[in-house]
C-alpha cells in the first residue's frame, strides 16, 4: 500500500473531527428537532444517547479506523475478518454520499442568506409588508428555483473540494485548525448577545424543563438519530479520520473532547436561537425553515440585526464546510484506494457525482417539487431514511461488530496504544456496545417501522 498521510497533532485531529461533528446538525437541525419534539424531553433523551451510545461509538470508530488503516468500506471486512462485513461499510459510504447531496444544498442556501445579509438585500422590506409573508416568500423564491441554489451549493462543494484535494495534513488538518477557532469566536459573540434578550429565560425553561408526555418511539429514535448524525457516526467519517491517526495518540481522550465539543455546541445553538425566537413571539416548532424564515424576522427587528445575521450565517457556513470536508474525505479515501487514482482526480470525480446528486435535490425542492411520495420531497426522504434507518442500522452493526466479533480485548488493545490502561469504567462502556446499543436500537427501529406510537 502507498504511504498514507497522517494527522500531525492531537489538536489537529480534534479540530478536524470536531469540525466534522459540528455542523448543520448542531446549528440548523438540533434546534428545530428539539423545537418540534417538545424541547427539553427530546434534549434529555438526546443527552443520554450521546453519553451511552455516542461516546462509545466515537472511540470505537476511531479505533477501528486506526487498526485497519484503510477506507471505511474495507475497515469493516478487516475488523470482522470476513468480506461480507464490507457491505456494512458500503452502506455507511452510500449514506454519506446521499447526505452530502442534500447537505450541499442547504449549505448553498446558507451562503445565499449570508451573501444577501452582507449586501443588505435580505432586509429590504417596505414597512407595510408583513415580515412573515416576506421571509416566507424570500425562502420559497430561492428554494423553488433551480439556478440560484445550484450555483450557491456548487460554491460550497468547490470550497470544500479545494481543501480535500490538498490532503490530510496540509489540507483537512490545517484548515480545520484555522476554521474551528473562527467558529468558536463567532459563536461566543452571538451567544453573548443572545443572553441579553428578554426571551432568554423563557427559552431556558423550554429547553431544560422536561415534558415527557410527548415522548413516543419516534421521538426517541429521532433523538438517537440526531445524536448519531451530530457526532458523524454510522457514516464512516470517524473511521476514515481514525485511519489517519497515528499510534502515538490517545483515542479515548480525543473521543471525549470531540463528544463534549459537539454536544456543547448543539446545546448552545439552542440558547443562541430560542431566545430570539421567544423574544419576538415566533414559533419554536417551525421545522427546517427555522433559521431561514423565523430567524431573519428576528434579525429584522433587532437593533443591528443585519450584522448579527451576517455573523450568524457565516458561523453556519464555517461549521457546514468542515463537515462537508469530512464527508468528501470518506468518499475520496475510498475512491483513491479502490481505483489508484490520484487524490486530485478522485476529489473532482466525487465533486462531479455529488453535484449531480445535489442538483437532483435542488430540483426536488424546486421545479420538480410536485414529485412527492407520501407527501415528502426527495430531500425529505433522504433526510428521513438516512437519519432514521441507515445511520442507526450502521451504528447497530458497528456495535455488534466491535462488541461481539472484534471483542473487547482487541478493542481495548487498540485503545491502549498511545493511551492509558483501561479502567473499570472503560470496560463498562465497552459492554454497552454488546448489551445496550443493539437491543435498544433494534427494538426502536421495529417500533418505528411498525408505526407504533406510545
Ligand atoms: N455531524 C455533521 C453535523 O452535525 O452537521 C453531519 C455529518 C458530518 C454527517 C460528516 C456525516 C458526516 F460524515
Amino acid at each position: 500500500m502507498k504511504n498514507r498521510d497522517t494527522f500531525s497533532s492531537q489538536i489537529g485531529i480534534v479540530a478536524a473531527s470536531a469540525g466534522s461533528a459540528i455542523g448543520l446538525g448542531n446549528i440548523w437541525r438540533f434546534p428545530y428537532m428539539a423545537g418540534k419534539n417538545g424541547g427539553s424531553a427530546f434534549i434529555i433523551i438526546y443527552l443520554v444517547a450521546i453519553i451511552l451510545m455516542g461516546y462509545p461509538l466515537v472511540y470505537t470508530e476511531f479505533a477501528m479506523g486506526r487498526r485497519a488503516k484503510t477506507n471505511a468500506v474495507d475497515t469493516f471486512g478487516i475488523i470482522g475478518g470476513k468480506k461480507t462485513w464490507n457491505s456494512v461499510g458500503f452502506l455507511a459510504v452510500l449514506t454519506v454520499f446521499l447526505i452530502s447531496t442534500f447537505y450541499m444544498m442547504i449549505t448553498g442556501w446558507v451562503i445565499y442568506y449570508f451573501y444577501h445579509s452582507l449586501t443588505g438585500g435580505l432586509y429590504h422590506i417596505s414597512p407595510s409588508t408583513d415580515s412573515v409573508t416576506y421571509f416566507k416568500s424570500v425562502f420559497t423564491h430561492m428554494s423553488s428555483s433551480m439556478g440560484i441554489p445550484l450555483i450557491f451549493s456548487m460554491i460550497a462543494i468547490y470550497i470544500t473540494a479545494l481543501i480535500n484535494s490538498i490532503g490530510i495534513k496540509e489540507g483537512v488538518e490545517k484548515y480545520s485548525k484555522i476554521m474551528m477557532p473562527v467558529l468558536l469566536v463567532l459563536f461566543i459573540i452571538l451567544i453573548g448577545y443572545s443572553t441579553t434578550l428578554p426571551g432568554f429565560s423563557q427559552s431556558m425553561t423550554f429547553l431544560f424543563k422536561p415534558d415527557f408526555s410527548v415522548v413516543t418511539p419516534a421521538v426517541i429514535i429521532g433523538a438517537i438519530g440526531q445524536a448519531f448524525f451530530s457526532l458523524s457516526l454510522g457514516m464512516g467519517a470517524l473511521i476514515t479520520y481514525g485511519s489517519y491517526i497515528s499510534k502515538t495518540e490517545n483515542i479515548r481522550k480525543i473521543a471525549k473532547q470531540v463528544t463534549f465539543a459537539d454536544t456543547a455546541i448543539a446545546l448552545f445553538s439552542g440558547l443562541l436561537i430560542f431566545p430570539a425566537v421567544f423574544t419576538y413571539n415566533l414559533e419554536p416548532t417551525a421545522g427546517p425553515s427555522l433559521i431561514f424564515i423565523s430567524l431573519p424576522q428576528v434579525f429584522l427587528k433587532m437593533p443591528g440585526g443585519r450584522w448579527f445575521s451576517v455573523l450568524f450565517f457565516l458561523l453556519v457556513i464555517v461549521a457546514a464546510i468542515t463537515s462537508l470536508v469530512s464527508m468528501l474525505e470518506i468518499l475520496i479515501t475510498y475512491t483513491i484506494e479502490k481505483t489508484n487514482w490520484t487524490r486530485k482526480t478522485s476529489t473532482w470525480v466525487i465533486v462531479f457525482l455529488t453535484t449531480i446528486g445535489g442538483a437532483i435535490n435542488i430540483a426536488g425542492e424546486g421545479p420538480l417539487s410536485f414529485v412527492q411520495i407520501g407527501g415528502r420531497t426527495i430531500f425529505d426522504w433522504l433526510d428521513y431514511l438516512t437519519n432514521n434507518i441507515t445511520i442507526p442500522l450502521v451504528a447497530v452493526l458497528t456495535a455488534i461488530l466491535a462488541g461481539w466479533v472484534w471483542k473487547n480485548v482487541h478493542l481495548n488493545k487498540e485503545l491502549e496504544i498511545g493511551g492509558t490502561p483501561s479502567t473499570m469504567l472503560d470496560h463498562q462502556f465497552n459492554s454497552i456496545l454488546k448489551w445496550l446499543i443493539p437491543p435498544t436500537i433494534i427494538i426502536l427501529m421495529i417500533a418505528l417501522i411498525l408505526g407504533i406510537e406510545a
Side-chain angles (χ1 to χ4, degrees):
M1 195 193 288
K2 273 185 284 178
N3 238 349
R4 282 179 116 247
D5 207 354
T6 44
F7 285 110
S8 67
S9 62
Q10 185 190 321
I11 183 102
I13 302 164
V14 174
S17 309
S20 167
I22 298 166
L24 294 173
N26 303 60
I27 309 171
W28 164 75
R29 199 170 190 280
F30 175 78
Y32 87 70
M33 284 293 284
K36 269 176 90 154
N37 291 295
S40 40
F42 177 89
I43 293 177
I44 289 172
I45 301 167
Y46 167 80
L47 288 177
V48 172
I50 289 273
I51 296 168
L52 291 185
M53 299 186 181
Y55 164 65
L57 282 168
V58 169
Y59 69 66
T60 299
E61 285 206 6
F62 277 143
M64 284 169 58
R66 186 171 74 174
R67 171 83 232 170
K69 285 237 163 300
T70 185
N71 61 79
V73 175
D74 292 327
T75 296
F76 279 86
I78 291 174
I79 300 290
K82 274 205 192 84
K83 275 234 162 182
T84 40
W85 277 104
N86 281 2
S87 49
V88 181
F90 192 76
L91 184 62
V93 170
L94 180 68
T95 301
V96 88
F97 173 72
L98 296 176
I99 289 179
S100 68
T101 64
F102 69 76
Y103 211 90
M104 72 177 265
M105 171 179 80
I106 298 161
T107 310
W109 293 351
V110 177
I111 299 178
Y112 176 90
Y113 271 68
F114 167 73
Y115 175 73
H116 285 285
S117 305
L118 201 62
T119 61
L122 189 59
Y123 299 102
H124 271 164
I125 162 175
S126 73
S128 58
T129 315
D130 169 47
S131 67
V132 180
T133 321
Y134 171 75
F135 285 112
K136 266 193 187 147
S137 81
V138 170
F139 181 69
T140 317
H141 178 71
M142 174 202 66
S143 61
S144 65
S145 61
M146 189 68 209
I148 290 174
L150 187 62
I151 289 169
F152 281 93
S153 66
M154 280 166 78
I155 295 175
I157 206 78
Y158 289 154
I159 297 174
T160 308
L162 288 177
I163 298 174
N164 286 94
S165 65
I166 304 172
I168 295 294
K169 204 179 293 151
E170 295 300 317
V172 175
E173 177 169 357
K174 194 165 140 197
Y175 285 93
S176 303
K177 279 190 347 208
I178 299 171
M179 286 161 85
M180 293 316 279
V182 171
L183 181 123
L184 210 62
V185 170
L186 289 171
F187 215 80
I188 291 170
I189 298 174
L190 292 170
I191 288 272
Y193 186 78
S194 226
T195 53
T196 63
L197 293 173
F200 186 71
S201 61
Q202 202 182 340
S203 48
M204 288 294 273
T205 315
F206 178 72
L207 290 172
F208 299 113
K209 208 164 144 239
D211 170 12
F212 284 103
S213 65
V214 295
V215 176
T216 60
V219 171
I220 301 176
I221 196 109
I224 296 176
Q226 173 63 27
F228 290 167
F229 181 81
S230 190
L231 286 169
S232 306
L233 288 169
M235 292 166 274
L238 303 185
I239 292 180
T240 304
Y241 276 3
S243 76
Y244 295 113
I245 295 181
S246 84
K247 295 276 185 199
T248 53
E249 302 291 349
N250 182 342
I251 287 184
R252 279 204 180 94
K253 193 164 149 202
I254 294 170
K256 279 184 196 132
Q257 291 171 349
V258 172
T259 309
F260 176 79
D262 182 60
T263 312
I265 295 284
L267 294 176
F268 280 116
S269 296
L271 284 183
L272 172 68
I273 289 175
F274 288 117
V277 169
F278 284 116
T279 302
Y280 296 99
N281 287 326
L282 299 167
E283 271 306 306
T285 54
S289 60
L290 188 66
I291 72 166
F292 298 109
I293 296 175
S294 306
L295 272 189
Q297 295 175 54
V298 172
F299 296 146
L300 180 71
K301 291 177 190 144
M302 272 161 118
R306 174 176 151 204
W307 297 108
F308 196 87
S309 169
V310 170
L311 290 182
F312 176 78
F313 288 111
L314 182 63
L315 166 80
V316 186
I317 293 172
V318 174
I321 296 281
T322 47
S323 295
L324 271 174
V325 165
S326 72
M327 289 185 210
L328 286 200
E329 190 50 49
I330 304 166
L331 302 165
I332 292 167
T333 297
Y334 178 57
T335 311
I336 294 176
E337 292 178 356
K338 284 294 149 190
T339 59
N340 269 322
W341 292 342
T342 62
R343 173 168 280 272
K344 289 220 160 41
T345 311
S346 307
T347 305
W348 296 110
V349 169
I350 295 297
V351 166
F352 177 70
L353 296 175
T354 317
T355 307
I356 293 179
I360 294 174
N361 272 283
I362 291 166
E365 293 303 294
L368 298 182
S369 60
F370 60 88
V371 186
Q372 294 198 359
I373 306 169
R376 286 195 168 102
T377 62
I378 297 168
F379 154 56
D380 293 336
W381 269 110
L382 291 180
D383 182 57
Y384 176 80
L385 289 177
T386 51
N387 273 286
N388 293 290
I389 309 217
T390 64
I391 295 175
L393 192 61
V394 173
V396 104
L397 292 167
T398 307
I400 292 173
L401 173 63
W404 292 95
V405 182
W406 198 27
K407 299 221 167 71
N408 285 349
V409 263
H410 299 291
L411 174 60
N412 269 328
K413 212 159 103 199
E414 185 59 42
L415 290 168
E416 286 170 4
I417 299 172
T420 46
S422 309
T423 61
M424 265 302 284
L425 187 65
D426 292 332
H427 284 291
Q428 269 150 8
F429 267 110
N430 287 351
S431 343
I432 288 178
L433 295 168
K434 273 174 100 163
W435 300 107
L436 181 85
I437 298 180
T440 315
I441 295 188
I442 291 169
I443 292 171
L444 283 168
M445 284 181 74
I446 293 175
L448 190 76
I449 290 164
L450 297 180
I452 298 170
E453 297 286 320

